[in-house]
Amino acid sequence: MLPLQVIDSFLLEYNVGQALLLVFILATVGTLSLRSRRLVAINTTVFGLVFIMTPQSLAPVHYLFLGIVMLVVGPVLWVTAER
């Protein structure tokens, strides 16, 4: 296990929006291996909600706009997915 000081010194250089974006990318790569567009749609929609609900004091405003775009793209992916 890594000591908390190493993790803290790494995360101090980034804001919450960048950390959430990294987690979204990793989660999307993980769901791509299952080859389900519906899972990618759920992942996109949930992270869109997370980006919108993140306080503006923790993340810049452009992550709010990213969340809005993700809330539009997620349901479109869901509808276009094959059953």
Side-chain angles (χ1 to χ4, degrees), residues 9 14 16 18 28 47 61 73:
S9 65
Y14 303 103
V16 173
Q18 292 169 332
T28 303
F47 272 98
V61 71
V73 170

Side-chain angles (χ1 to χ4, degrees), residues 5-19 58 60 63:
Q5 291 83 9
V6 173
I7 297 170
D8 189 43
S9 65
F10 176 75
L11 289 177
L12 282 176
E13 300 176 19
Y14 303 103
N15 60 32
V16 173
Q18 292 169 332
L58 297 177
Y63 290 107

Side-chain angles (χ1 to χ4, degrees), residues 22-33 40 43-44 47 70:
L22 176 67
V23 171
F24 169 70
I25 291 170
L26 292 175
T28 303
V29 169
T31 57
L32 286 177
S33 66
V40 174
N43 185 32
T44 304
F47 272 98
M70 292 170 86

Side-chain angles (χ1 to χ4, degrees), residues 20-68:
L20 286 174
L21 187 60
L22 176 67
V23 171
F24 169 70
I25 291 170
L26 292 175
T28 303
V29 169
T31 57
L32 286 177
S33 66
L34 298 174
R35 298 176 190 230
S36 172
R37 191 183 292 178
R38 290 203 172 191
L39 283 177
V40 174
I42 291 170
N43 185 32
T44 304
T45 305
V46 167
F47 272 98
L49 285 172
V50 169
F51 277 115
I52 284 180
M53 294 172 46
T54 302
Q56 294 301 312
S57 61
L58 297 177
V61 71
H62 58 272
Y63 290 107
L64 171 68
F65 296 125
L66 177 64
I68 292 170

